[in-house]
Amino acid sequence: MLIYFDYAATTPMSEHALTIYVKAAKNAFGNSSSLHDVGDISARTLTASRKVIANIINGYEKGIYFTSGGSEANIVAVQSLLNGIQNNKHIITTATEHSSLHTFFKMLELKGYHVTYLHPNHQGVITPDQVQHALQKDTALVSIQHGNSEIGTINPIEDISLLLREKKIIFHSDCVQTFGKIPIDAKHIDAISISGHKIYGPKGVGAAYINPSVLWHPLIPGTTHESGFRPGTVDVPAIAAFATAASDISLEQKLLYDHFVSLRNQLIELLAPYHDKISVINTRFPHTLPNIIPLLFKGIEGQYVMLEANRFGMAISTGSACQVGMQAPSRSILAIGYNEQQAKQYVRISLGKDTTSTHIEKLSKVLINIVENFRK
C-alpha cells in the first residue's frame, strides 16, 4: 500500500464528512430552490452550511456562494467582480498563481485587459510595496494567492488588502491552499476562493466569498441559483459534507499546524547529510505552510524521482496536479530565481493529518536510496 504524500493535491474524505454526505443525500435530496417541504429541507441545510463557512472565515453569510470547486470559485469570482467595474482595464496578479487563474488572466489579455504579473521576492513573497509600485490609474482589480501550492509561501494578504482598501481597488485572494491550515479573516479582503477536497471534504465543491458591500454582476445574466452567482442545481449533500469537513479542520487547525512543523523539521534533518544532492527550497523562507515541502534533486529530474518513489510505495508529486502533463517546469520555481533545468528537478512533498513520523523516516530512506542508486 502506498504511503501518501500528496495532500496539497487532494485529501481523502473524512469519515465524518462521508457520514454527513450520506445522511444529507438521503434526507436533503430535494432541489433547494423548490418551494415544497422537501426543497425546504435542502434549503435549510444549505443555509446552515453557509453559516458554518462564513463563521470560519469571519465573513458574512450572504457573501458565501457555493461552487463546483476552487477553480470555478476563482474564475467566476474574478469575472463577476470585473463585471461590476466599468472602464478600468488593468489587473495585478502574480506569476505564481494557480493555473486556473493564470490561464484565465491570459485569456482576459486577449479581451483587452492589461495584466501585470508580479514576481515574488527572494523569500518567495509578494510584498505590499510591489503592489503599490504596480498600481496604475486604471487598476480595476488585484488577485494575489494567500498560499502557494508548490513552494508553500504565504503572502501578507491582510497588509495588501489595507493598501488597496485605501485606494478603493478590489482585492481577491485564492485561499484554497491556506483554508483550514492557517487563519483567514475575510473581513479584510473583498473576495476569496476556497475548496472542499483540500480539507478532507468531497471533490466537486468549493465556495467563493464576496463581501456584500462589494459590487459584482453575474457571469451569466438571469442565473437564479446561489443568488445569481452561478447556474446549476446546488449539490446540497456535497456542501453539507464540505461544511462538516471545514468545521472539523478548523477545530484541529493549531494542533495540525504544530504536527506539520514537527514532521517537516524531521524530514529536513534526515535529508541534511545529503544537502548537496537534495535541497529543501524554502527552509530560509520565514512565511511558509509547513505541510508543503519543496525539494530539488541535483542532476535528477523530478519526474524520475516521483516514478521511482511510487515504485517504492511513496506517492509524491512534481507540483500542482492541475499542471501535471503540461511538460513545463514549475512557474513558482522559476519565479523565485531558479532556471528551467533546476525547475525540472523539483519534487513536492505535502503532509496530511494521517502522516506520521514513521512515514517521514521511510520517505527519507527512499529518497536517499533513489539519489544513491541514480549516481551509481
Side-chain angles (χ1 to χ4, degrees):
M1 182 177 177
L2 285 174
I3 299 176
Y4 190 66
F5 289 102
D6 199 16
Y7 289 91
T10 193
T11 60
M13 278 184 74
S14 69
E15 288 299 323
H16 192 194
L18 279 167
T19 299
I20 294 300
Y21 181 90
V22 172
K23 184 177 179 180
K26 289 180 178 179
N27 301 304
F29 62 87
N31 189 318
S32 58
S33 297
S34 297
L35 301 180
H36 47 60
D37 288 350
V38 178
D40 184 59
I41 294 172
S42 292
R44 285 188 282 115
T45 302
L46 195 59
T47 297
S49 300
R50 214 181 298 278
K51 287 180 179 177
V52 168
I53 301 296
N55 287 338
I56 291 172
I57 64 171
N58 193 29
Y60 298 99
E61 178 189 340
K62 63 180 181 179
I64 300 290
Y65 305 99
F66 290 110
T67 67
S68 66
S71 292
E72 186 194 24
N74 276 334
I75 293 168
V76 180
V78 168
Q79 185 62 72
S80 298
L81 290 167
L82 289 174
N83 288 349
I85 302 170
Q86 293 185 351
N87 301 322
N88 292 347
K89 292 289 185 178
H90 178 236
I91 296 169
I92 298 173
T93 186
T94 80
T96 58
E97 293 299 309
H98 185 263
S99 60
S100 61
L101 279 175
H102 185 75
T103 54
F104 183 63
F105 287 130
K106 289 295 182 183
M107 184 195 74
L108 288 177
E109 287 185 279
L110 299 176
K111 293 188 174 183
Y113 283 90
H114 170 53
V115 183
T116 298
Y117 298 91
L118 301 177
H119 282 69
N121 63 16
H122 66 283
Q123 293 183 331
V125 171
I126 302 296
T127 67
D129 282 345
Q130 286 179 279
V131 178
Q132 171 79 58
H133 292 146
L135 292 174
Q136 299 179 10
K137 289 183 179 180
D138 66 337
T139 300
L141 176 139
V142 176
S143 180
I144 295 174
Q145 62 187 189
H146 192 192
N148 185 273
S149 65
E150 296 185 318
I151 56 177
T153 47
I154 301 169
N155 288 312
I157 58 173
E158 290 189 10
D159 293 339
I160 293 171
S161 180
L162 289 173
L163 164 68
L164 296 174
R165 185 161 294 183
E166 288 178 3
K167 299 180 180 299
K168 297 182 180 180
I169 296 172
I170 301 299
F171 181 42
H172 165 265
S173 182
D174 175 356
C175 296
V176 168
Q177 283 295 337
T178 53
F179 181 60
K181 314 295 192 315
I182 58 176
I184 296 171
D185 191 347
K187 284 277 172 43
H188 298 289
I189 310 164
D190 295 311
I192 72 170
S193 305
I194 58 178
S195 179
H197 74 104
K198 309 288 189 182
I199 58 164
Y200 307 92
K203 294 174 180 61
V205 62
Y209 173 77
I210 300 179
N211 190 301
S213 66
V214 176
L215 178 66
W216 61 273
H217 291 308
L219 181 67
I220 302 174
T223 296
T224 56
H225 291 288
E226 289 301 278
S227 301
F229 188 74
R230 69 185 293 269
T233 302
V234 180
D235 189 344
V236 175
I239 289 169
F242 172 30
T244 299
S247 178
D248 290 346
I249 203 166
S250 67
L251 295 174
E252 301 175 301
Q253 193 172 92
K254 179 61 169 65
L255 186 65
L256 285 174
Y257 187 92
D258 292 342
H259 176 60
F260 296 147
V261 169
S262 176
L263 294 177
R264 169 190 166 87
N265 290 339
Q266 180 190 1
L267 182 60
I268 291 172
E269 184 177 345
L270 289 169
L271 295 179
Y274 299 84
H275 64 88
D276 58 328
K277 301 173 183 176
I278 308 172
S279 58
V280 183
I281 292 174
N282 60 3
T283 51
R284 296 181 183 178
F285 298 171
H287 306 291
T288 59
L289 292 167
N291 60 300
I292 294 178
I293 310 169
L295 305 175
L296 285 187
F297 287 76
K298 188 175 180 179
I300 311 175
E301 287 209 1
Q303 192 82 356
Y304 173 84
V305 176
M306 183 271 293
L307 293 171
E308 282 295 285
N310 187 73
R311 190 164 68 89
F312 286 103
M314 304 285 156
I316 64 176
S317 79
T318 54
S320 172
C322 296
Q323 289 185 206
V324 170
M326 294 176 68
Q327 303 302 316
S330 162
R331 282 185 288 105
S332 299
I333 304 300
L334 293 173
I336 58 174
Y338 291 92
N339 60 41
E340 286 201 15
Q341 183 179 1
Q342 291 170 317
K344 289 181 179 180
Q345 297 167 1
Y346 158 76
V347 160
R348 182 185 68 189
I349 308 299
S350 51
L351 313 175
K353 62 182 181 180
D354 295 324
T355 310
T356 67
S357 177
T358 301
H359 292 158
I360 293 295
E361 188 174 344
K362 289 180 178 179
L363 173 65
S364 67
K365 289 179 179 177
V366 166
L367 296 180
I368 291 167
N369 181 62
I370 291 171
V371 168
E372 289 183 337
N373 284 333
F374 183 83
R375 302 302 173 189
K376 292 176 182 176

